[in-house]
Amino acid sequence: MNTTTRGWINGMIGVAIFSGSLPATRLAVLGLDPLFVTAARAALAGLLALAVLVATRSPRPERSDLRTLLLVAFGVVVGFPLFSALALQTITSAHSLVFIGLLPLATAIFGTWLGGERPSRAFWAFAILGAASVAGFAFSQDGSGSLGADALMMGAIVTCGYGYAEGGRLSRRLGGWQVICWVLVLSLPVSLPLAVVLRPTVWTGVAASAWGGLAYVTVFSMLVGFIFWYRGLSQGGIAAVGQLQLLQPFMGLMLAAWLLGEPVTPVMLAVTVFVVACVAGAKYTAAAPVPVSGAAR
């Protein structure tokens, strides 16, 4: 098995794990405060990551890497978990998964910006179409969402896409699993005290399903999924393996219907399919970009 094939396999495993993130977060916030869920998942995953780094005697990142690691933490440790947890207090995970269809596009846009490239006009046309379809869904009166929660989901997508792009760049040099482990460890001085302060005052009233959701997003969404995902990106290429994210909304919708019994409406499916088509078109037309001098790095 060559390196590229291993990259696709690792990327697919990562996407499958991430597909359960929003349904699991929905379970968690039904019984726990979203701020506690955000802090606890980062803190507990950070302790696990610290144990992994110590056990493997991994070398410390260079001082020049700290800024990028902190930016990745802002996107995938704080931004996406917090915004999505707040949104899922009032919307179903099935509704929120429509927005996940924009995540590959957000990653591509930030990757383009950070890499100093100039996509084609067709790329931006597809990008606008995809964003407009999600905006139209958010403003539609389908009874499953609210403008405030939809805005939070858009914030989650933007911050996560940025974290993916920064982490994908750094993983080529630092290593896939090392990136997320160091990101979580660097977050511990903030996440651990917050988790202690925000812990529930009464533990007995929290349903087992809420603890199960927290356990999933801690171990799998926050750590194990990123180990496979960043490894896949570094082995198979960010642009190629990143396309696997197109499968995440569909996997998530199936999990939402199966685990939570949430209705998956024809409108949700139609918008998701259209968004995925726009993202696929954007990625295809973004081939062979023209670098821009002086672009952000």
Side-chain angles (χ1 to χ4, degrees):
M1 187 182 298
N2 59 37
T3 302
T4 301
T5 302
R6 289 197 299 269
W8 279 90
I9 293 174
N10 285 318
M12 189 65 201
I13 295 173
V15 168
I17 291 172
F18 290 149
S19 297
S21 296
L22 291 179
T25 301
R26 172 67 173 167
L27 284 173
V29 299
L30 288 177
L32 296 166
D33 183 83
L35 295 178
F36 170 73
V37 170
T38 302
R41 66 187 282 182
L44 295 173
L47 294 174
L48 292 174
L50 180 60
V52 171
L53 291 171
V54 171
T56 57
R57 298 181 180 180
S58 297
R60 295 180 180 180
E62 299 291 336
R63 184 182 297 271
S64 59
D65 295 329
L66 293 180
R67 177 180 176 275
T68 301
L69 289 170
L70 290 174
L71 289 173
V72 175
F74 168 75
V76 304
V77 177
V78 179
F80 183 83
L82 177 59
F83 291 144
S84 61
L86 290 171
L88 285 164
Q89 285 186 298
T90 55
I91 61 175
T92 66
S93 61
H95 181 97
S96 67
L97 280 160
V98 175
F99 293 84
I100 297 298
L102 285 176
L103 184 52
L105 187 57
T107 305
I109 290 174
F110 280 117
T112 296
W113 171 52
L114 294 170
E117 299 170 351
R118 180 179 297 155
S120 65
R121 291 182 180 179
F123 173 90
W124 294 114
F126 280 115
I128 293 171
L129 277 175
S133 65
V134 172
F137 173 77
F139 280 97
S140 68
Q141 300 298 317
D142 70 339
S144 64
S146 69
L147 292 182
D150 291 343
L152 286 168
M153 281 306 305
M154 285 303 301
I157 295 306
V158 171
T159 53
C160 189
Y162 182 77
Y164 277 0
E166 287 281 16
R169 284 200 310 150
L170 187 57
S171 66
R172 288 179 170 176
R173 183 170 55 79
L174 191 61
W177 65 268
Q178 290 93 334
V179 168
I180 190 58
C181 283
W182 282 114
V183 163
L184 290 167
V185 169
L186 288 174
S187 303
L188 272 176
V190 176
S191 62
L192 189 55
L194 280 178
V196 174
V197 171
L198 296 171
R199 70 188 186 279
T201 55
V202 179
W203 297 74
T204 55
V206 181
S209 58
W211 292 118
L214 178 59
Y216 184 92
V217 295
T218 296
V219 177
F220 294 100
S221 303
M222 203 81 260
L223 182 59
V224 177
F226 275 104
I227 291 175
F228 285 104
W229 180 240
Y230 279 149
R231 181 185 297 166
L233 291 177
S234 63
Q235 290 175 332
I238 296 174
V241 176
Q243 296 184 51
L244 290 172
Q245 291 179 100
L246 300 176
L247 300 175
Q248 187 173 338
F250 300 105
M251 293 181 180
L253 286 173
M254 288 188 291
L255 286 173
W258 176 45
L259 295 177
L260 302 175
E262 295 179 350
V264 178
T265 66
V267 174
M268 289 180 184
L269 285 174
V271 174
T272 302
V273 170
F274 185 74
V275 169
V276 168
C278 288
V279 172
K283 283 183 172 290
Y284 178 78
T285 56
V290 179
V292 180
S293 59
R297 294 286 180 181

